[in-house]
Amino acid sequence: MPVNSFEHYPMSWKPDKATLKRPFYQSLALYLERDIVNGFLAPGTKLPPQRELADFLDLNFTTITRAYKVCEVKGLIYAVTGSGTFVAPNAARSITISAEKQANLIELGFVESFEETNTLIKDSIQRVSEKKYVEQLLTYNDPTGIPHQKTAALNWMEPFGIHADQEHVAIVSGAQNALAVTLASLFEPGNRIATDLYTYSNFIELAKILHIQLIPIVGDEYGMLPDDLEKQCSQLNIHGIFLMPSCSNPTTVMIPDFRKRELAEVIRKYRLILIEDDIYAFLTAGVIEDYRQPMYQLLPEQSVYICGTSKSICSGLRVAYMVFGDALREKILKGIFNINVKTSSFDAEVITELILSGKAHQIVSQKIQLAKTTNELYFDYFPIKKNHEHPLSFFRWLPIEKEIDAQALEADLQRHGVRVFHSVRFLSGQSRPEKYLRIALASTNSLQELEIGLTKLKKYLDN
Amino acid sequence: MPVNSFEHYPMSWKPDKATLKRPFYQSLALYLERDIVNGFLAPGTKLPPQRELADFLDLNFTTITRAYKVCEVKGLIYAVTGSGTFVAPNAARSITISAEKQANLIELGFVESFEETNTLIKDSIQRVSEKKYVEQLLTYNDPTGIPHQKTAALNWMEPFGIHADQEHVAIVSGAQNALAVTLASLFEPGNRIATDLYTYSNFIELAKILHIQLIPIVGDEYGMLPDDLEKQCSQLNIHGIFLMPSCSNPTTVMIPDFRKRELAEVIRKYRLILIEDDIYAFLTAGVIEDYRQPMYQLLPEQSVYICGTSKSICSGLRVAYMVFGDALREKILKGIFNINVKTSSFDAEVITELILSGKAHQIVSQKIQLAKTTNELYFDYFPIKKNHEHPLSFFRWLPIEKEIDAQALEADLQRHGVRVFHSVRFLSGQSRPEKYLRIALASTNSLQELEIGLTKLKKYLDN
DNA sequence: AGATTTGTTCTTAAACATTTT
DNA sequence: TAAAATGTTTAAGAACAAATC
């Protein structure tokens, strides 16, 4: 029997002891999940400490540990040694982002890629469809890409600072697919990956699906802090790190070279697998003056470099290039075979044709121009510029003051005809006091529509 | 200290107690893995029982349980209550199958799809590339397929006995990709899925990557035995079942309707998620006389029906249709967004065009004709016919007598210029006494090449 | 700076379940 | 059919580690 009565102690959660069935840890985890999903326990709520709940329920406290663990693995709660256990910010809510076009809704949420440039692609598709060797594109052969396609891929990435050979590049079905292949091939459930505090929400969701734990690392204006990374690595067994150095999603931070080198040192020391998502390389390398190199070149043996063509060339043809160290090669290829079998050689060929014909560069130029225009427009409305934010980002990270719950804010704005995403969607760990909105600039049908959207947004936020 | 000396007991594995470090279970698991990978412990070897090893190492036996568990999860060993723990048949060897074309090697291993029919596809690609709405195929829109593509999909599957609506069908990037989405979305690491004793090896590998445990169920000439399924369900917490009822890979078994109903009853009773891979529907529905219906129609609410077009229409355009119950919908869509974002609408459109124009049916007719011819040829060489084997299968399941290790046999035949796969690659669980080869009939460049391959194979086996 | 709070990990113990003999 | 062999699952205990106050 418990020694104390807890009637007078405030415990945020008091599961009904009488209805608890064996096995206790499962029963308890189920109750906890139910109360979180029902909304009885709101995000951020501090749960009773393990020992206190154990005392209350008259169980050994490691049984509570186990029950809490079940819910932590499901992403419902998170624990901080010394502070306690808390309901996760996105518990019981999917933050998966996808294109869900709705009439009369201005899309500033999902980040597209100025789809108006797609007019340039039709020709290339036709040209490929008329090639003599089309039939060779229609078999199971060359599951990681046809040699000449890989050569074009390497040419494409060369100005981004990537140097690799045919054996260490593979074509997959878009950058998200590359991430799925990477996580499934190189990590196991329970492994930990370091990420920025705010990171790409579909990466968070993917990690959740595969039961990989994200460890949020503090950053400053130059990106992730090497000291905090070092600290976390020294006290936790961390297996990998996810970064978007040339333009982080959602913060738009561009990591300067000195910081890349500092981070690389820690990554090398702890032998982390670096996952570098360089989907915005085309906006940075050769465009931003002091840009040096991708982190892949600092750590080629322990890195996976992912270069999607959805943002730079065409979003509908699902193609991304993966470049990887030799030690990772076998596992990645196996992952590709088991998740994709292969990527459509036809799609890859169209991208190849676009690259070889120079059309891809033309498209990139147009997109950069559009990025300039839309960013200027944005800064007319929200003239807050910070150091080391990418000036040409396809989206912006807008600090907001409004004291309103994230879901309510998104819903409010949706009623006003604008879709945006609140910063809680991008939280890799615990709640934060600062709030932001991610504003996509590359997803409206026209500049006019974007302007209307920004006007509505500003009006709403100023109220 | 241990009570007994084990000098006189035969223990197949004696880890060095002195070098064992804390944590013991990890250290022990590492040693075990090393000794299996090195080949010191051969597949099939019985490991010391937990209690015996514990006694030898002077540890509590549940510490051994934990160490063994680590290796079991990695697929290195498997445990059978009452019998002991054994080194897995495919421990430390990848059984992933992919197209790896080599000159001078006749492909009877990897199953392709009579790629000579691809000549019929070029026209459709051109026609699609000339459509007015091509640009609409190049965006992020309609991530699960454009409505008219889904309509065509449902039309395509209608003769197979599938009735569903737009909301419960999605287009993904091939059948293997559909399986990846299904497993990642609907199952968690540690979950169990029932399969045939011999099953599709890339399904085995995929399950391994995602840490889903396969529970092999015994079968007879009609396919999986409902009694054994019932038995396993009653004593293990099984979450799903994987079946290829219209033509099982690799056994070619076609499950008759009565058996489907018996199995469906058990599946319903234990609320398993049924994963029905119906990639060979086109060889069966409307072709085989007494074919009735897919199992999906018996259990629509708890099933995922997967209909790939790689075998029936074109292997290079990566398209498969998924049909699912409403209860599974949300999770599957989330899985699609996080693993694929979307499938190329262009590829899906070409398949749609092929279906709507009737060309797809023409291709299917050709493939069926080729299947007839090649199967006749096969039976000339190996005239062993069993009941309920699919007469038109793209591969055959050849029982062999030869007393030779699987890898050696494959290597031997490769030296003779023929690539085949040994039955151990398809084992979902423990080793079996019977041996088979899976002989692909749809992968050679010509009938002549197939004939040469079969001749070589027969000659080798008769020796 | 040290005690306290809180979460983590490993090992052991006991009860259980299944298969084999 | 019952006993023995063998693996499984849950719970508890102990030592540890980090963060907070």
Coordinates of all heavy atoms in Angstrom, one line a residue, chain A residues 88-143:
Chain A
A88 N 3.9 15.7 -25.5 CA 4.6 16.3 -26.7 C 3.8 17.4 -27.4 O 2.6 17.3 -27.4 CB 5.0 15.2 -27.7
P89 N 4.5 18.3 -28.0 CA 3.8 19.4 -28.6 C 2.8 19.0 -29.7 O 1.8 19.5 -29.9 CB 4.9 20.3 -29.2 CG 6.2 19.8 -28.7 CD 6.0 18.5 -28.1
N90 N 3.2 18.0 -30.5 CA 2.4 17.5 -31.6 C 1.8 16.1 -31.3 O 1.5 15.4 -32.2 CB 3.2 17.4 -32.9 CG 3.4 18.8 -33.4 OD1 2.5 19.6 -33.7 ND2 4.7 19.2 -33.5
A91 N 1.6 15.8 -30.0 CA 1.0 14.5 -29.6 C -0.3 14.4 -30.3 O -1.1 15.4 -30.3 CB 0.9 14.5 -28.1
A92 N -0.6 13.3 -30.8 CA -2.0 13.0 -31.2 C -2.4 13.9 -32.4 O -3.6 14.1 -32.6 CB -3.0 13.1 -30.1
R93 N -1.4 14.5 -33.1 CA -1.8 15.3 -34.2 C -0.8 15.0 -35.3 O 0.4 15.0 -35.1 CB -1.8 16.8 -33.9 CG -2.1 17.7 -35.1 CD -2.4 19.1 -34.6 NE -1.2 19.9 -34.6 CZ -1.1 20.9 -35.4 NH1 -2.0 21.2 -36.4 NH2 0.0 21.7 -35.4
S94 N -1.3 14.7 -36.5 CA -0.4 14.5 -37.6 C 0.1 15.9 -38.1 O -0.6 16.8 -38.4 CB -1.1 13.8 -38.7 OG -0.2 13.7 -39.9
I95 N 1.5 16.0 -38.3 CA 2.0 17.2 -38.9 C 2.5 17.0 -40.3 O 3.1 17.8 -40.9 CB 3.1 17.8 -38.1 CG1 4.2 16.7 -37.8 CG2 2.6 18.3 -36.7 CD1 5.5 17.3 -37.3
T96 N 2.1 15.8 -40.9 CA 2.5 15.5 -42.3 C 1.9 16.6 -43.2 O 0.8 17.0 -43.1 CB 1.9 14.2 -42.7 OG1 2.5 13.2 -41.9 CG2 2.3 13.9 -44.2
I97 N 2.8 17.1 -44.0 CA 2.5 18.2 -45.0 C 2.4 17.6 -46.4 O 3.3 16.9 -46.8 CB 3.5 19.3 -44.9 CG1 3.4 20.0 -43.6 CG2 3.4 20.2 -46.1 CD1 4.5 21.1 -43.3
S98 N 1.3 17.9 -47.1 CA 1.2 17.4 -48.5 C 0.4 18.5 -49.2 O -0.3 19.3 -48.7 CB 0.6 16.1 -48.6 OG -0.8 16.2 -48.5
A99 N 0.5 18.3 -50.6 CA -0.3 19.2 -51.4 C -1.7 18.9 -51.4 O -2.1 17.8 -51.8 CB 0.3 19.1 -52.8
E100 N -2.5 19.8 -50.8 CA -4.0 19.5 -50.8 C -4.7 20.7 -51.3 O -5.3 21.5 -50.5 CB -4.4 19.2 -49.3 CG -3.9 18.0 -48.8 CD -4.0 17.9 -47.2 OE1 -4.6 18.9 -46.7 OE2 -3.6 16.9 -46.6
K101 N -4.6 20.9 -52.6 CA -5.1 22.1 -53.2 C -6.6 22.3 -52.9 O -7.4 21.3 -53.0 CB -4.9 22.1 -54.7 CG -3.5 22.6 -55.1 CD -3.4 24.1 -55.0 CE -2.0 24.6 -54.9 NZ -1.2 24.3 -56.1
Q102 N -7.0 23.5 -52.5 CA -8.4 23.8 -52.3 C -8.7 25.1 -53.0 O -7.9 26.0 -53.0 CB -8.7 24.0 -50.8 CG -8.9 22.7 -50.0 CD -9.1 23.0 -48.5 OE1 -9.9 23.8 -48.2 NE2 -8.4 22.3 -47.7
A103 N -9.9 25.1 -53.6 CA -10.3 26.3 -54.3 C -10.4 27.4 -53.2 O -10.7 27.2 -52.1 CB -11.6 26.1 -55.0
N104 N -10.1 28.7 -53.6 CA -10.3 29.8 -52.8 C -9.4 29.8 -51.6 O -9.7 30.4 -50.5 CB -11.7 30.0 -52.3 CG -12.7 30.0 -53.4 OD1 -12.4 30.6 -54.5 ND2 -13.8 29.3 -53.3
L105 N -8.3 29.1 -51.6 CA -7.4 29.1 -50.5 C -6.0 29.4 -51.1 O -5.5 28.7 -52.0 CB -7.4 27.7 -49.9 CG -6.7 27.6 -48.5 CD1 -7.3 28.6 -47.5 CD2 -6.8 26.2 -48.0
I106 N -5.4 30.5 -50.6 CA -4.1 30.9 -51.1 C -3.0 30.0 -50.4 O -3.0 30.0 -49.1 CB -3.9 32.4 -50.9 CG1 -4.9 33.1 -51.8 CG2 -2.5 32.8 -51.3 CD1 -4.9 34.6 -51.7
E107 N -2.2 29.4 -51.1 CA -1.3 28.4 -50.5 C 0.0 29.1 -50.1 O 0.9 29.3 -51.0 CB -1.0 27.3 -51.6 CG -0.1 26.2 -51.1 CD -0.7 25.3 -50.0 OE1 -1.5 24.4 -50.3 OE2 -0.4 25.7 -48.8
L108 N 0.1 29.3 -48.8 CA 1.4 29.8 -48.3 C 2.0 28.8 -47.3 O 2.8 29.1 -46.5 CB 1.3 31.2 -47.7 CG 0.6 32.3 -48.5 CD1 0.6 33.6 -47.7 CD2 1.3 32.5 -49.8
G109 N 1.4 27.6 -47.4 CA 1.8 26.5 -46.4 C 2.8 25.6 -47.1 O 4.0 25.7 -46.9
F110 N 2.2 24.7 -47.8 CA 3.0 23.7 -48.6 C 4.0 24.4 -49.5 O 3.6 25.3 -50.3 CB 2.1 22.8 -49.3 CG 2.8 21.7 -50.0 CD1 3.3 20.6 -49.3 CD2 2.9 21.6 -51.4 CE1 3.9 19.6 -50.0 CE2 3.5 20.6 -52.1 CZ 4.0 19.6 -51.4
V111 N 5.3 24.1 -49.5 CA 6.2 24.7 -50.4 C 6.3 24.0 -51.7 O 6.8 22.9 -51.8 CB 7.6 24.8 -49.7 CG1 8.6 25.5 -50.7 CG2 7.6 25.5 -48.4
E112 N 5.9 24.7 -52.8 CA 6.0 24.2 -54.1 C 7.2 24.8 -54.7 O 8.2 25.2 -54.0 CB 4.7 24.4 -54.9 CG 3.5 23.7 -54.2 CD 2.2 23.9 -54.9 OE1 2.2 24.1 -56.2 OE2 1.2 23.8 -54.3
S113 N 7.3 24.9 -56.1 CA 8.5 25.4 -56.7 C 8.3 26.2 -57.9 O 8.9 26.0 -58.9 CB 9.4 24.2 -57.0 OG 8.8 23.4 -57.9
F114 N 7.4 27.2 -57.8 CA 7.1 28.1 -58.9 C 6.8 27.2 -60.1 O 7.5 27.2 -61.1 CB 8.3 29.0 -59.2 CG 8.6 29.9 -58.1 CD1 9.8 29.8 -57.4 CD2 7.8 30.9 -57.7 CE1 10.2 30.6 -56.3 CE2 8.1 31.8 -56.6 CZ 9.3 31.6 -56.0
E115 N 5.6 26.6 -60.0 CA 5.3 25.6 -61.1 C 5.2 26.2 -62.5 O 5.1 25.4 -63.4 CB 4.1 24.8 -60.6 CG 4.1 24.2 -59.2 CD 5.2 23.1 -59.1 OE1 5.6 22.5 -60.1 OE2 5.7 23.0 -57.9
E116 N 5.1 27.5 -62.6 CA 5.0 28.1 -63.9 C 6.2 27.8 -64.8 O 6.0 27.9 -66.0 CB 4.8 29.6 -63.8 CG 5.8 30.3 -62.8 CD 5.2 30.6 -61.4 OE1 4.8 29.6 -60.8 OE2 5.2 31.7 -61.0
T117 N 7.3 27.4 -64.3 CA 8.4 27.0 -65.1 C 8.2 25.7 -65.8 O 9.1 25.3 -66.7 CB 9.7 26.9 -64.3 OG1 9.6 25.9 -63.3 CG2 10.0 28.3 -63.6
N118 N 7.2 25.0 -65.5 CA 7.0 23.6 -66.1 C 6.7 23.7 -67.6 O 6.8 22.7 -68.3 CB 5.9 22.9 -65.4 CG 6.3 22.4 -64.0 OD1 7.5 22.3 -63.7 ND2 5.3 22.2 -63.1
T119 N 6.3 24.8 -68.1 CA 6.1 24.9 -69.5 C 7.4 24.6 -70.3 O 7.3 24.1 -71.5 CB 5.7 26.4 -69.9 OG1 6.6 27.3 -69.3 CG2 4.3 26.7 -69.4
L120 N 8.5 24.7 -69.7 CA 9.8 24.5 -70.4 C 10.1 23.0 -70.5 O 11.0 22.5 -71.2 CB 10.9 25.1 -69.7 CG 11.0 26.7 -69.8 CD1 12.0 27.2 -68.8 CD2 11.3 27.1 -71.2
I121 N 9.3 22.2 -69.8 CA 9.6 20.7 -69.7 C 9.0 19.9 -70.8 O 9.5 18.9 -71.2 CB 9.3 20.3 -68.3 CG1 10.3 20.9 -67.3 CG2 9.4 18.8 -68.2 CD1 9.9 20.8 -65.9
K122 N 7.8 20.3 -71.2 CA 7.0 19.5 -72.2 C 7.9 19.1 -73.4 O 7.9 17.9 -73.8 CB 5.9 20.4 -72.7 CG 4.8 19.6 -73.5 CD 3.6 20.4 -73.7 CE 2.7 19.5 -74.6 NZ 1.4 20.2 -74.9
D123 N 8.7 20.0 -73.9 CA 9.5 19.7 -75.1 C 10.5 18.5 -74.8 O 10.6 17.6 -75.6 CB 10.4 20.9 -75.4 CG 9.7 21.8 -76.4 OD1 8.6 21.5 -76.7 OD2 10.3 22.8 -76.8
S124 N 11.1 18.6 -73.6 CA 12.1 17.6 -73.3 C 11.4 16.2 -73.2 O 11.9 15.2 -73.5 CB 12.8 17.9 -72.0 OG 13.6 19.1 -72.2
I125 N 10.2 16.2 -72.6 CA 9.5 15.0 -72.5 C 9.2 14.4 -73.9 O 9.5 13.2 -74.2 CB 8.1 15.1 -71.8 CG1 8.4 15.5 -70.3 CG2 7.3 13.9 -71.9 CD1 7.1 15.6 -69.5
Q126 N 8.8 15.3 -74.8 CA 8.6 14.8 -76.1 C 9.8 14.3 -76.8 O 9.8 13.2 -77.4 CB 8.0 15.9 -77.0 CG 6.5 15.9 -77.0 CD 5.8 17.0 -77.8 OE1 6.4 17.3 -78.9 NE2 4.8 17.5 -77.3
R127 N 10.9 15.0 -76.6 CA 12.2 14.6 -77.2 C 12.6 13.2 -76.6 O 13.0 12.3 -77.4 CB 13.3 15.6 -76.9 CG 14.2 15.6 -78.1 CD 15.2 16.8 -78.0 NE 14.6 18.0 -77.5 CZ 15.3 19.0 -76.9 NH1 16.6 18.8 -76.7 NH2 14.7 20.1 -76.5
V128 N 12.4 13.0 -75.3 CA 12.8 11.7 -74.8 C 11.8 10.6 -75.3 O 12.3 9.5 -75.7 CB 12.7 11.7 -73.2 CG1 12.8 10.3 -72.7 CG2 13.8 12.6 -72.7
S129 N 10.6 11.0 -75.5 CA 9.6 9.9 -75.9 C 9.9 9.5 -77.4 O 9.4 8.5 -77.8 CB 8.2 10.4 -75.7 OG 7.9 11.4 -76.7
E130 N 10.6 10.3 -78.1 CA 10.9 10.0 -79.5 C 12.3 9.3 -79.7 O 12.6 8.9 -80.8 CB 10.9 11.3 -80.3 CG 9.4 11.7 -80.6 CD 9.4 13.2 -80.9 OE1 10.4 13.8 -81.2 OE2 8.2 13.7 -80.9
K131 N 13.0 9.2 -78.6 CA 14.3 8.6 -78.7 C 14.2 7.1 -79.1 O 13.3 6.4 -78.8 CB 15.1 8.7 -77.4 CG 15.3 10.1 -77.0 CD 16.7 10.4 -76.4 CE 17.1 11.8 -76.6 NZ 17.8 12.4 -75.5
K132 N 15.3 6.7 -79.8 CA 15.3 5.3 -80.3 C 15.3 4.3 -79.1 O 14.8 3.2 -79.2 CB 16.6 5.1 -81.1 CG 16.3 5.4 -82.6 CD 17.6 5.4 -83.4 CE 18.4 6.7 -83.2 NZ 19.8 6.7 -83.6
Y133 N 16.0 4.7 -78.0 CA 16.2 3.8 -76.9 C 15.1 3.8 -75.9 O 15.3 3.3 -74.8 CB 17.6 4.0 -76.3 CG 17.8 5.4 -75.8 CD1 17.4 5.8 -74.5 CD2 18.6 6.3 -76.5 CE1 17.6 7.0 -74.1 CE2 18.8 7.5 -76.1 CZ 18.4 7.9 -74.8 OH 18.6 9.2 -74.3
V134 N 13.9 4.4 -76.1 CA 12.9 4.5 -75.1 C 12.6 3.2 -74.5 O 12.4 3.1 -73.3 CB 11.5 5.0 -75.7 CG1 10.5 5.2 -74.6 CG2 11.7 6.3 -76.4
E135 N 12.5 2.1 -75.3 CA 12.2 0.8 -74.7 C 13.1 0.4 -73.7 O 12.8 -0.4 -72.8 CB 12.1 -0.2 -75.8 CG 10.9 -0.1 -76.6 CD 11.0 -0.8 -78.0 OE1 11.7 -1.8 -78.1 OE2 10.4 -0.2 -79.0
Q136 N 14.4 0.8 -73.8 CA 15.4 0.4 -72.8 C 15.1 1.1 -71.4 O 15.7 0.8 -70.4 CB 16.8 0.8 -73.2 CG 17.2 -0.1 -74.4 CD 18.5 0.4 -75.0 OE1 19.4 0.9 -74.3 NE2 18.7 0.3 -76.3
L137 N 14.2 2.1 -71.5 CA 13.9 2.8 -70.2 C 12.7 2.1 -69.5 O 12.3 2.5 -68.4 CB 13.5 4.3 -70.5 CG 14.5 5.1 -71.3 CD1 13.8 6.5 -71.7 CD2 15.7 5.3 -70.5
L138 N 12.2 1.1 -70.2 CA 10.9 0.5 -69.6 C 11.1 -0.8 -69.0 O 10.2 -1.6 -68.8 CB 9.9 0.4 -70.8 CG 9.6 1.7 -71.5 CD1 8.7 1.5 -72.7 CD2 9.1 2.8 -70.5
T139 N 12.3 -1.2 -68.7 CA 12.6 -2.5 -68.0 C 13.0 -2.3 -66.6 O 13.1 -1.2 -66.1 CB 13.7 -3.2 -68.8 OG1 15.0 -2.6 -68.5 CG2 13.5 -3.2 -70.3
Y140 N 13.3 -3.5 -66.0 CA 13.8 -3.5 -64.6 C 15.3 -3.1 -64.5 O 15.9 -3.0 -63.5 CB 13.7 -4.9 -64.0 CG 12.3 -5.2 -63.5 CD1 11.5 -6.2 -64.0 CD2 11.8 -4.5 -62.3 CE1 10.3 -6.5 -63.5 CE2 10.6 -4.8 -61.8 CZ 9.8 -5.8 -62.4 OH 8.6 -6.1 -61.9
N141 N 16.0 -3.0 -65.7 CA 17.4 -2.8 -65.7 C 17.9 -1.5 -65.0 O 17.1 -0.5 -64.9 CB 17.9 -2.8 -67.1 CG 17.8 -4.2 -67.7 OD1 17.6 -5.2 -67.0 ND2 17.8 -4.3 -69.0
D142 N 19.1 -1.5 -64.6 CA 19.7 -0.3 -64.0 C 18.9 0.3 -62.9 O 18.5 1.5 -63.0 CB 20.0 0.8 -65.1 CG 20.9 0.2 -66.2 OD1 22.1 -0.1 -65.9 OD2 20.4 0.1 -67.4
P143 N 18.7 -0.5 -61.9 CA 17.8 0.0 -60.8 C 18.3 1.3 -60.1 O 17.4 2.0 -59.5 CB 17.7 -1.2 -59.8 CG 18.9 -2.0 -60.2 CD 19.1 -1.8 -61.6

